[in-house]
Amino acid sequence: YFLLKNKLYDKYVKGNIIMKKTVAIVGRPNVGKSTLFNRLVGERISIVEDTPGVTRDRIFADVSWLNYSFTLIDTGGIETDTDNLIPEMMRKQAQIAIDMADVIMFVVDGKAGLVPQDFEVADLLRKSKKPVIVIVNKVDNSRLPDDYYDFYQLGFDNMYAISSTQGLGLGDMLDEIVALFPKEELLEVEDNSIKVAIIGKPNAGKSSILNALIGEERTIVSPIAGTTRDAIDEKCNINGIDYTFIDTAGIRKKNKIYDNIEKYSVLRAYSAIEKADVVLVVIDATTMVTEQDTKIAGLAHEAGKCVIVVVNKWDLIQKETNTMRDYTSDVRNSLAYMQYAPVEFISAKTGKRLNNIVELINKVYESGRKRLSTGVLNDVIGDAVMLNQPPSDKGKRLKIYYATQTGVLPPTFVIFINDKELFHFSYQRYLENKIRESFGFDGTVIKIIPREKGDKNK
């Protein structure tokens, strides 16, 4: 019915940045916002990857419709009370999503009809001067409710009746959304810097690392977890190379996000990962690797980014003979899906090994941009097949015809075969390991895409 793809779209064209469009779903509580969100992106979110530590908790997801890709944001209900039309906290929470959006889906309840809270939300949206579509939800049949046209009193011209539970009316609604997108514009100034996102749990030392790397104290550093509320971009030049460092709010467990402002700071942290070339996953050495660390690292892995695991506060650890070796083993075991990522132990406070981080950023970035000639790649694939014959099933054996590299950041390889069903995950991993043994690719995900010979879905 509509196309949902589990991938991040390239936002770089000839060195210029193209910003992906964003659509926010807003409205008062219990109008069906989350049901609509799940309807539009549910197939993508329900994909289960056999990779431990990759989180599937989402407040945003990528959706494709026609020739457009956009990020869909799910927001909490904008609540009101008897004393204040819109409590200040909820106003700020909604405002973050609205500010990020190119188009706003204002969801109302077609069964309950127009209520005073809808007018209050409408007043908030009008101030944004963003394109707004009124989505009259819970219209579960072709007959419009008697009071349908009352919703025009909200003051918006675009209005669509849908049923998020039954999937009715979504096509026309999506057509209107993409029609309202502003035309693609390239930023006037080319940005060829290496973009580095710094992510991790609150109070892991992300801001301290940023300040130490750029040599200035431009972000607030505090022992209070959660001080950083937004993603902050800092441009600098180190040894003749331009970098853009993106410091982000700490990502907490879902049940630890007590206020909605922090929830949407997390959203911006996810966005920082998406636009980065390299991601520094910061782990607090004093707490070892936690379940939340594995989930945060999984975000960068899932996004196909170059990754460096940075163990900070190493100055606070009492050292013994094999302390670093044992801690590295713990990191490797906890982040088993990310064996390609280098691990570096630093102290942002003392500056110890901080220079190693810059060197590693350059190294993994070059790995992510590495291209292999088709001939050399196929020599390695051929040798790998000779050493370990492809699997077979019911007398039919997997045949590998040839491979070619189709992209970078992450390095992406298409392998042409006779039958996708025979190309088991274990054999894909075997070929990936052989490619790594021959060419390195330290610090970057490698994507392998199987394609049956003659397959036109390129």
Side-chain angles (χ1 to χ4, degrees), residues 132-415:
V132 175
I133 300 176
V134 176
I135 309 299
V136 184
N137 193 25
K138 305 183 184 180
V139 180
D140 297 332
N141 53 57
S142 59
R143 183 177 180 275
L144 294 176
D146 294 337
D147 52 1
Y148 172 78
Y149 293 99
D150 291 348
F151 289 105
Y152 277 112
Q153 297 178 43
L154 295 172
F156 301 105
D157 295 331
N158 298 314
M159 191 163 74
Y160 287 85
I162 69 157
S163 170
S164 56
T165 58
Q166 299 185 27
L168 300 177
L170 300 184
D172 290 341
M173 177 193 74
L174 288 168
D175 285 344
E176 182 64 24
I177 288 171
V178 299
L180 290 172
F181 284 159
K183 294 181 179 180
E184 290 283 14
E185 294 181 357
L186 296 179
L187 296 184
E188 294 181 0
V189 179
E190 290 191 1
D191 184 358
N192 294 315
S193 64
I194 301 175
K195 296 156 191 70
V196 184
I198 307 175
I199 67 172
K201 294 185 304 184
N203 208 27
K206 299 181 298 300
S207 294
S208 296
I209 291 172
L210 173 62
N211 290 336
L213 286 171
I214 66 176
E216 297 180 32
E217 201 154 306
R218 297 190 188 180
T219 59
I220 298 171
V221 178
S222 166
I224 302 173
T227 301
T228 304
R229 284 294 196 183
D230 202 353
I232 302 169
D233 293 4
E234 293 291 350
K235 295 182 182 295
C236 65
N237 184 287
I238 303 175
N239 298 326
I241 300 176
D242 292 326
Y243 302 88
T244 300
F245 288 98
I246 309 160
D247 186 23
T248 62
I251 302 175
R252 299 188 183 186
K253 286 185 178 180
K254 199 170 184 181
N255 60 4
K256 293 291 182 68
I257 301 177
Y258 297 113
D259 67 80
N260 289 288
I261 297 304
E262 184 169 324
K263 178 178 179 181
Y264 287 90
S265 296
V266 171
L267 173 62
R268 290 187 173 180
Y270 291 147
S271 298
I273 293 171
E274 182 183 334
K275 70 178 181 179
D277 301 310
V278 178
V279 177
L280 305 184
V281 178
V282 182
I283 294 175
D284 187 337
T286 63
T287 62
M288 302 291 282
V289 182
T290 66
E291 179 184 356
Q292 186 68 355
D293 288 320
T294 66
K295 290 183 177 181
I296 292 169
L299 293 171
H301 171 79
E302 190 179 40
K305 302 299 179 177
C306 301
V307 177
I308 301 168
V309 179
V310 179
V311 182
N312 190 28
K313 305 184 184 180
W314 195 239
D315 56 304
L316 301 180
I317 301 300
Q318 185 173 355
K319 313 298 192 300
E320 296 180 2
T321 304
N322 298 318
T323 302
M324 186 176 291
R325 185 195 67 182
D326 293 343
Y327 206 108
T328 301
S329 178
D330 178 69
V331 171
R332 292 293 183 205
N333 290 334
S334 299
L335 305 179
Y337 56 90
M338 199 179 280
Q339 296 297 310
Y340 57 84
V343 180
E344 187 61 59
F345 296 82
I346 71 162
S347 168
K349 182 177 180 180
T350 66
K352 189 167 185 176
R353 296 194 186 91
L354 205 64
N355 289 337
N356 294 357
I357 297 299
V358 177
E359 294 176 6
L360 282 173
I361 289 171
N362 297 337
K363 181 180 179 180
V364 301
Y365 179 67
E366 290 305 316
S367 288
R369 296 173 66 240
K370 185 182 298 183
R371 283 191 178 274
L372 306 179
S373 70
T374 299
V376 171
L377 173 62
N378 281 279
D379 287 344
V380 171
I381 296 292
D383 290 344
V385 171
M386 291 289 290
L387 289 172
N388 184 4
Q389 287 295 308
S392 62
D393 184 34
K394 297 178 181 178
K396 187 176 182 181
R397 183 171 295 277
L398 172 68
K399 292 181 181 179
I400 297 178
Y401 299 114
Y402 66 96
T404 185
Q405 185 173 357
T406 59
V408 297
L409 290 174
T412 303
F413 301 94
V414 173
I415 299 182

Side-chain angles (χ1 to χ4, degrees), residues 33-106:
K33 297 184 301 298
S34 294
T35 303
L36 177 58
F37 178 85
N38 291 335
R39 167 65 68 170
L40 294 176
V41 303
E43 292 181 32
R44 176 182 185 273
I45 287 180
S46 67
I47 291 174
V48 177
E49 181 179 346
D50 188 20
T51 304
V54 177
T55 182
R56 268 160 282 279
D57 293 334
R58 299 288 177 149
I59 53 176
F60 77 99
D62 293 336
V63 174
S64 292
W65 177 250
L66 302 177
N67 294 321
Y68 291 86
S69 166
F70 60 89
T71 298
L72 188 66
I73 304 174
D74 185 23
T75 72
I78 300 176
E79 298 186 20
T80 61
D81 60 29
T82 55
D83 298 324
N84 301 290
L85 290 179
I86 301 181
E88 186 64 21
M89 188 63 72
M90 300 307 296
R91 184 190 299 273
K92 291 179 180 178
Q93 173 253 11
Q95 195 65 55
I96 293 173
I98 292 167
D99 289 345
M100 294 177 66
D102 295 290
V103 176
I104 299 166
M105 300 169 65
F106 177 14

